[in-house]
Amino acid sequence: MIKYTFYLTIKIISNGATKNLLIKMYFLVRILKACCRCVIFINIFSVYGVKDKSHMSYNIQKSDKKCLLMNWDDTRFFLALARSGTLRKAAMELHVDQATVGRRIQALEESINSKLFIRTPKHFSLSTLGEELLPNAIDIENAIHAINRKVSKGDDSLSGNVSIATTDTMAEAFVIPALKVLRTQHPDITIKLLTAVDIEDISYRSADMAIRGARPEEETLVIKRLATIEMGLYAAQEYVDRKGIPVQDSQLEGHDLLMFPRDLVPRHWDSFCGEKINNPNVVLQSNSQMLIRSAARNGLGIGLLSSFIAEKDPELIRILPGNKDWIDIWLVLHPDLKKSAKIRAVINSIEQSFAAYGASLDHPL
């Protein structure tokens, strides 16, 4: 393995170099060493002269030597715990056990002689220093992903893994059928499928591409409309027998509603599929349309569901069929990946899946 050697000179513009400043510099050097597999020599001095500069240099060099014995992905453990807040969730993300996460974090904190997390019995929250270091660690993580994307940019091979972020309903109705076709055409391409309602911009870290119902605002991403889907109100016959059919323009008064949380889809709390609502009787909130569909099938209330799934369900009936909510579906891709052969193959299969849906609608895509 090739190693590069860097000589880093850091000027401290005053006599008051704080401990936190030195820790931040050390932490960034560690990440740089991990990413580049390089050897770094540090020379720290003050423009005005620091009486204890040898002591400062010694402390950093001593800590730096200690970190040579530690695995580079300590930073990955730091980010996983910072994002998840618990050892269990961080361990699941990293595919290790909780004890490993705890040991790595403890070793990292001991190496910088400062706490990065405030521990409670149920949660890990970032300390002040941890909050200050988090953006730097994310920048490094993004840089690593950017390198990986650029390496894949000119990849003409139809093999390897592609990660897709989408919702559970999109995955079931469109992505899975597309992957069935993809497997027959390109069996060496594998997929990592991530489902969520509030999909973060893919420029952060989680996926190569996303299929989502909200157009992202970031202009650097490649964005394409795949379809316009219909949503409607659905309930079980059991519910209708018990509560009756809602009256048009009655604000669904007297009816039980199944909704996404307000912070995820705020517009639904003002207009629920064309029905203005005020102080709605929301009996269930869920971030999963699949769970809302299950609740509707069990007679808990009226849910706003994607018609391409609900219309095929014999246990659901359409409520106020004239009310329709049209949602644009967007494919979001990082520009560094648009020329990758495996990415193009996956996109083509997904586009064909949505095109088949569009051909069955009166409403144009």
Side-chain angles (χ1 to χ4, degrees), residues 177-363:
L179 297 184
K180 180 180 179 181
V181 176
L182 181 72
R183 289 292 300 162
T184 62
Q185 297 174 343
H186 308 292
D188 293 331
I189 297 177
T190 58
I191 300 296
K192 180 179 180 181
L193 188 57
L194 310 169
T195 60
V197 174
D198 52 335
I199 304 169
E200 296 289 339
D201 284 341
I202 61 171
S203 57
Y204 291 133
R205 68 186 183 278
S206 60
D208 296 321
M209 67 180 71
I211 301 168
R212 52 185 289 175
R215 195 183 194 281
E217 298 179 356
E218 189 169 343
E219 296 180 356
T220 60
L221 297 172
V222 177
I223 303 167
K224 180 179 181 179
R225 186 171 67 88
L226 291 171
T228 300
I229 66 167
E230 176 189 340
M231 299 188 74
L233 300 175
Y234 293 87
Q237 185 64 53
E238 172 195 344
Y239 174 84
V240 173
D241 292 342
R242 187 174 72 253
K243 304 282 286 191
I245 296 289
V247 177
Q248 189 85 39
D249 298 325
S250 65
Q251 299 188 349
L252 298 174
E253 185 176 354
H255 284 274
D256 302 332
L257 304 184
L258 316 170
M259 300 181 66
F260 288 111
R262 185 190 295 268
D263 60 331
L264 293 184
V265 192
R267 67 185 185 87
H268 286 176
W269 290 71
D270 296 320
S271 177
F272 197 51
C273 197
E275 288 292 309
K276 299 293 182 181
I277 54 177
N278 184 27
N279 296 323
N281 183 32
V282 181
V283 299
L284 174 70
Q285 298 181 45
S286 174
N287 65 350
S288 168
Q289 188 175 162
M290 291 299 191
L291 293 180
I292 291 177
R293 182 182 68 168
S294 178
R297 295 177 67 188
N298 282 276
L300 268 67
I302 300 172
L304 178 60
L305 302 172
S306 299
S307 298
F308 58 76
I309 287 183
E311 290 293 337
K312 299 176 182 178
D313 194 324
E315 297 188 35
L316 294 174
I317 62 174
R318 187 76 177 254
I319 304 296
L320 303 177
N323 290 34
K324 299 179 180 181
D325 195 12
W326 297 100
I327 306 294
D328 288 330
I329 304 301
W330 304 91
L331 172 70
V332 187
L333 177 71
H334 199 284
D336 289 338
L337 294 176
K338 63 182 180 181
K339 294 183 179 180
S340 170
K342 64 182 180 182
I343 295 292
R344 289 305 317 166
V346 173
I347 291 175
N348 289 339
S349 295
I350 291 173
E351 287 177 333
Q352 291 172 16
S353 182
F354 276 94
Y357 165 73
S360 66
L361 292 180
D362 295 332
H363 184 88

